[in-house]
């Protein structure tokens, strides 16, 4: 078993794995090429000389041996001993693990594949293809060192340097260590190291390991310990299982000295780029709390998954199972999780094409009213079939139409009320609109008809609520007229921090009238479809936006000259020096300029309000209680209708 003292699980939250941005050497035009006789070595340099078995390379020399390439300003090669001495902008590329090293000077033996480099910067798992690098491992690795010794083909020793898996030269995290033994494709052993985040020291490790395998490792994670006023002393550990490249799991246990045992676990899978599955489990076997030893244990299971299927289908599952609300209150440590009394589970299959959407889904909603067992509201959709469309032009006329229809099986249960196990609900809602544009103004009248059929209804009685078996049909007609005047805008050329500013004010007014819902008190409540009421209202509002746009800038090597035709030769490319900080002047960069700057919204502030001409909403409003209607639930999350009123609260949204 491999103990995870390497602390790398914390680094995963700090930065993603990325390759170090080191420059790579490229070929030079050096005609003098020599192939030595004793070794399969190719020598190239602008100037070179040979004294006995010794070759001296001047002005950027290159030595090729099998899959290894050495570059240096000055180099000396002895074909008898295979020793190489290099100085000035040394670059080493190749090897079985795609190693890349840059150094000021060093020595190397190409036959034994050993050597020493000074002031070195290196990467493992990055194959150099200018102007980009290709990752050849799922765990790339970068290191720096005052001295780097290659003691054999599979081992490096880094002295007084750093190691990281982040982008250099300014990595998000790194280990600064006295010495490290690096085995490409295996591990890096670090001695007397300090873990740093953005250069700030976090933890000190006398010894730590860094995995370099192409596959993740299974093993025990770092044990955890702590102290809680509710749980007492906390001791725990977990075992991590790297199943394969696309799956992993973790199983753990915690001991709470004041309560009992806790169990944790997760499973992750990503079989393809378009699919994933996550499973999380948390449970506690509780001995009880207080003098009465009231047990508050339980368990919660969450499953999330998504997959894009052939023929433009998409499947999603989101399951949340909670055994008892008291368990969440007692053992969850995050405040918003502990006080959340709602539990939602759903799964759906959808298909969208040509503006038409077909969906089928099942859903369970639970709302715990207290910590008492059974004191909760449960609403089920088993199942729902939904078919809808976006606005579509009606033939060649100026009218647009859309529709939404749903056939559902629903049910609701709570301590003092219960519907049938399956209540049928069929809903259809076609719409027709006529958008009109004139002089910058926009006018959009719309007419919609809604017909909803229920197989049960809420019986009218003064006693407890009862669901009767009589069907109910709700018919409504909705008329909407939306008016938008031209936007008011102003440009500020002076701008701020080199950016131009644009201020825009948009306003709107919407008149809405719904009639026909005369049986609101008899409708069963399952979701937002069931809170439609009569209304006669005007909604008005304005939104102010502030945009910023960076001034256009020229990019080095970018011109607006037209691309050469097929019968024209491309322009000659200048030689590239890998050690000079020059812009990329490849043909693609030279011939294609970047897109112009795009305006970004900095601030938006919206103020809206509604004026209700019908303060009773067709008789649906009941004074002294919270009334939740579609027209108010869509407008604000506050249930402000407790009595007849003309004005809604003024809603302000600042982003």
């Amino acid at each position: 078993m491999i103990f995870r003292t390497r602390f790398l699980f914390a680094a995963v939250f700090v930065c993603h794995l990325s390759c170090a941005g080191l420059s790579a050497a490229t070929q030079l035009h050096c005609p003098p090429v020599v192939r030595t006789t004793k070794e399969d070595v190719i020598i190239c340099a602008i100037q070179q000389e040979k004294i006995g078995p010794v070759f001296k390379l001047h002005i950027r020399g290159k030595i090729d041996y099998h899959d290894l390439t050495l570059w240096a300003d000055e180099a000396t090669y002895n074909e008898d001993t295979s020793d190489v001495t290099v100085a000035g902008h040394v670059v080493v590329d190749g090897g079985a693990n795609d190693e890349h090293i840059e150094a000021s000077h060093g020595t190397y033996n190409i036959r034994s594949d050993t050597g020493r480099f000074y002031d070195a910067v290196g990467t493992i798992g990055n194959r150099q293809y200018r102007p980009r690098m290709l990752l050849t491992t799922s765990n790339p690795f970068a290191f720096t060192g005052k001295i780097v010794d290659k003691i054999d083909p599979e081992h490096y020793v880094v002295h007084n340097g750093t190691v990281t898996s982040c982008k250099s030269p300014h990595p998000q995290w790194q280990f600064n260590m006295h010495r490290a033994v690096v085995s490409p494709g295996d591990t890096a052993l670090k001695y007397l190291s300090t873990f740093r985040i953005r250069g700030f020291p976090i933890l000190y490790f006398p010894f730590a390991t860094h995995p370099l395998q192409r596959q993740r490792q299974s093993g025990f994670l770092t044990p955890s310990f702590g102290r809680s006023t509710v749980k007492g002393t906390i001791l725990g550990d977990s075992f991590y299982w790297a199943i394969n490249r696309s799956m992993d799991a973790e199983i753990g246990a915690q001991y709470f000295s004041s309560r009992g045992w806790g169990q944790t676990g997760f499973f992750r899978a990503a079989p393809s780029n378009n699919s994933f599955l996550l499973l999380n489990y948390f449970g506690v076997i509780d001995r009880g709390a207080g003098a009465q030893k009231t047990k508050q244990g339980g368990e919660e299971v969450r499953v999330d998954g998504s997959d894009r299927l052939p023929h433009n289908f998409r499947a999603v599952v989101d399951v949340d199972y909670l055994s008892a609300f008291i368990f969440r209150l007692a053992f969850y440590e995050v405040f918003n999780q502990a006080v959340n009394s709602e539990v939602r589970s759903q799964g759906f299959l959808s298909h969208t094409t040509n503006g038409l959407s077909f969906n089928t889904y099942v859903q369970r909603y639970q709302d715990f009213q207290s910590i008492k067992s059974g004191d909760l509201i449960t609403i089920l959709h088993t199942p729902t079939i939904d078919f809808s469309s976006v606005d579509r032009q009606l033939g060649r006329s100026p009218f647009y139409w859309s529709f939404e229809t749903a056939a559902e099986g629903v049910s609701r249960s709570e301590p003092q009320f219960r519907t049938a196990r399956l209540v049928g609900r069929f809903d259809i809602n076609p719409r027709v609109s006529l958008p009109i544009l004139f002089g910058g103004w926009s006018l959009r009248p719309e007419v919609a008809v809604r017909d909803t059929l229920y197989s049960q209804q809420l019986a009218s009685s003064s006693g407890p609520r009862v669901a009767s078996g009589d069907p109910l049909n709700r018919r409504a007609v909705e008329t909407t007229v939306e008016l938008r005047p031209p936007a008011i805008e102003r440009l500020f050329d002076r701008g701020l921090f080199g950016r131009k500013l644009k201020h825009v004010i948009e306003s709107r007014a919407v008149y809405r009238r719904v009639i026909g819902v005369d049986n609101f008190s008899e409708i069963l409540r399952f979701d937002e479809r069931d809170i439609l009421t009569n209304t006669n209202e005007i909604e008005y509002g304005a939104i102010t936006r502030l945009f910023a746009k960076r001034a256009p800038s020229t990019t080095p090597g970018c011109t607006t000259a037209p691309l050469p035709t097929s019968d024209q030769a491309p322009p000659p490319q200048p030689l590239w020096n890998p050690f000079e900080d020059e812009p990329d002047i490849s043909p693609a960069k030279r011939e294609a300029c970047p897109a112009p700057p795009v305006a970004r919204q900095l601030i938006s502030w919206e103020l809206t309000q509604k004026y209700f001409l019908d303060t009773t909403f067709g008789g649906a409003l009941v004074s002294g209680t919270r009334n939740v209607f579609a027209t108010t639930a869509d407008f604000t999350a506050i249930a402000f209708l407790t009595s007849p009123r003309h004005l809604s609260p003024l809603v302000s949204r600042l982003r």
Side-chain angles (χ1 to χ4, degrees), residues 197-433:
I197 297 179
R198 293 189 177 275
F200 186 79
I202 302 298
L203 291 174
Y204 172 77
F205 293 94
F207 174 77
T209 63
H210 189 131
L212 302 180
Q213 296 90 343
R214 295 182 182 272
Q215 296 288 342
R216 295 165 295 173
Q217 285 185 290
S218 301
F220 284 95
L221 301 180
T222 304
S224 62
F225 60 91
R227 177 70 184 175
S228 169
T229 56
V230 175
K231 304 172 185 177
T233 301
I234 303 172
L235 298 174
D237 199 2
S238 300
F239 180 80
Y240 176 77
W241 180 24
I243 303 173
N244 54 42
R245 284 180 59 87
S246 59
M247 295 183 187
D248 60 5
E250 180 184 323
I251 301 174
Q254 291 179 312
Y255 172 71
F256 307 137
S257 62
S258 300
R259 306 303 295 266
W261 287 91
Q263 314 90 42
T264 60
F266 82 81
F267 171 80
R268 299 185 300 180
S272 67
N273 293 335
N274 299 320
S275 62
F276 73 91
L277 179 65
L278 302 176
L279 186 149
N280 283 276
Y281 172 83
F282 176 49
V284 174
I285 302 175
D286 187 25
R287 294 195 303 265
Q292 303 296 327
K293 293 296 181 182
T294 303
K295 294 185 178 181
Q296 300 175 338
E299 57 188 2
E300 182 168 10
V301 182
R302 285 196 57 88
V303 180
D304 296 294
S306 176
D307 190 12
R308 291 193 177 274
L309 305 175
H311 308 293
N312 205 25
F313 279 90
R314 181 170 180 256
V316 173
V317 60
D318 182 5
V319 177
D320 188 2
Y321 167 76
L322 179 64
S323 61
F325 185 49
I326 187 64
F327 164 69
R328 179 179 285 182
L329 290 173
F331 291 100
Y332 271 79
E333 298 177 352
V334 180
F335 176 78
N336 62 345
Q337 292 179 338
V339 300
N340 183 17
S341 63
E342 296 182 337
V343 178
R344 301 174 185 267
S345 298
Q346 59 186 345
F348 68 83
L349 177 68
S350 67
H351 175 74
T352 302
T353 181
N354 296 328
L356 299 175
S357 179
F358 172 81
N359 303 279
T360 176
Y361 66 91
V362 294
Q363 184 185 71
R364 186 186 72 165
Y365 169 82
Q366 290 181 307
D367 189 2
F368 291 86
Q369 304 298 294
S370 68
I371 61 175
K372 296 180 181 179
S373 177
D375 189 12
L376 76 161
I377 299 173
T378 303
I379 300 176
L380 299 177
H381 292 71
T382 54
T384 294
I385 299 176
D386 180 277
F387 186 47
S388 60
S389 76
V390 298
D391 284 345
R392 310 169 72 91
Q393 189 172 5
L394 186 60
R396 296 185 177 180
S397 69
F399 292 93
Y400 286 78
W401 65 278
S402 64
F403 71 91
E404 181 181 0
T405 182
E408 305 172 272
V410 292
S411 67
R412 176 173 181 145
S413 64
E414 51 189 270
Q416 302 297 327
F417 177 77
R418 181 181 296 273
T419 66
R421 291 183 177 271
L422 193 64
V423 177
R425 184 177 67 178
F426 179 78
D427 180 72
I428 184 170
N429 182 24
R431 295 175 176 269
V432 178
S433 62

Side-chain angles (χ1 to χ4, degrees), residues 3-283:
F3 288 86
R4 290 261 173 145
T5 56
R6 59 198 63 160
F7 198 66
L8 293 180
F9 63 93
V12 173
F13 295 97
V14 181
C15 84
H16 297 287
L17 296 179
S18 61
C19 58
L22 303 176
S23 61
T26 186
Q27 285 188 338
L28 298 177
H29 297 283
C30 47
V33 176
V34 176
R35 183 183 298 271
T36 63
T37 57
K38 295 186 178 181
E39 299 283 355
D40 189 14
V41 178
I42 299 176
I43 297 174
C44 171
I46 300 298
Q47 296 179 6
Q48 56 182 276
E49 57 181 306
K50 184 175 186 296
I51 304 175
V54 178
F55 291 83
K56 294 185 178 181
L57 311 181
H58 308 288
I59 312 177
R60 205 66 192 136
K62 174 186 176 185
I63 301 175
D64 280 325
Y65 178 73
H66 295 173
D67 61 348
L68 185 70
T69 301
L70 285 85
W71 290 86
D73 292 342
E74 302 288 334
T76 301
Y77 168 62
N78 189 320
E79 63 177 345
D80 288 342
T81 62
S82 298
D83 289 329
V84 180
T85 301
V86 288
H89 299 119
V90 178
V91 177
V92 181
D93 276 317
N97 297 284
D98 295 309
E99 302 153 32
H100 175 82
I101 298 177
E102 296 185 11
S104 61
H105 60 286
T107 59
Y108 202 79
N109 188 285
I110 61 175
R111 186 184 304 165
S112 63
D113 201 8
T114 60
R116 167 171 285 194
F117 303 96
Y118 298 87
D119 303 321
V121 178
T123 63
I124 296 174
N126 297 337
R127 182 173 298 169
Q128 305 290 322
Y129 287 109
R130 185 183 178 271
R132 298 182 179 88
M133 287 181 290
L134 175 68
L135 294 182
T136 58
T137 173
S138 60
N139 199 4
F141 182 76
F143 59 88
T144 65
K146 292 292 184 181
I147 300 176
V148 174
D149 291 324
K150 189 172 184 180
I151 57 179
D152 60 54
E154 296 296 331
H155 293 87
Y156 286 92
V157 178
V158 181
H159 302 273
N160 298 321
T162 65
V163 297
T164 183
S165 293
C166 286
K167 184 178 181 180
S168 295
H170 304 292
Q172 301 257 351
W173 65 265
Q174 67 181 13
F175 281 92
N176 290 50
M177 73 285 168
H178 175 68
R179 185 170 67 94
V181 179
V182 180
S183 302
D186 188 9
T187 57
L189 308 179
K190 300 183 288 288
Y191 300 89
L192 306 179
S193 62
T194 303
F195 178 71
R196 297 171 179 260
I197 297 179
R198 293 189 177 275
F200 186 79
I202 302 298
L203 291 174
Y204 172 77
F205 293 94
F207 174 77
T209 63
H210 189 131
L212 302 180
Q213 296 90 343
R214 295 182 182 272
Q215 296 288 342
R216 295 165 295 173
Q217 285 185 290
S218 301
F220 284 95
L221 301 180
T222 304
S224 62
F225 60 91
R227 177 70 184 175
S228 169
T229 56
V230 175
K231 304 172 185 177
T233 301
I234 303 172
L235 298 174
D237 199 2
S238 300
F239 180 80
Y240 176 77
W241 180 24
I243 303 173
N244 54 42
R245 284 180 59 87
S246 59
M247 295 183 187
D248 60 5
E250 180 184 323
I251 301 174
Q254 291 179 312
Y255 172 71
F256 307 137
S257 62
S258 300
R259 306 303 295 266
W261 287 91
Q263 314 90 42
T264 60
F266 82 81
F267 171 80
R268 299 185 300 180
S272 67
N273 293 335
N274 299 320
S275 62
F276 73 91
L277 179 65
L278 302 176
L279 186 149
N280 283 276
Y281 172 83
F282 176 49

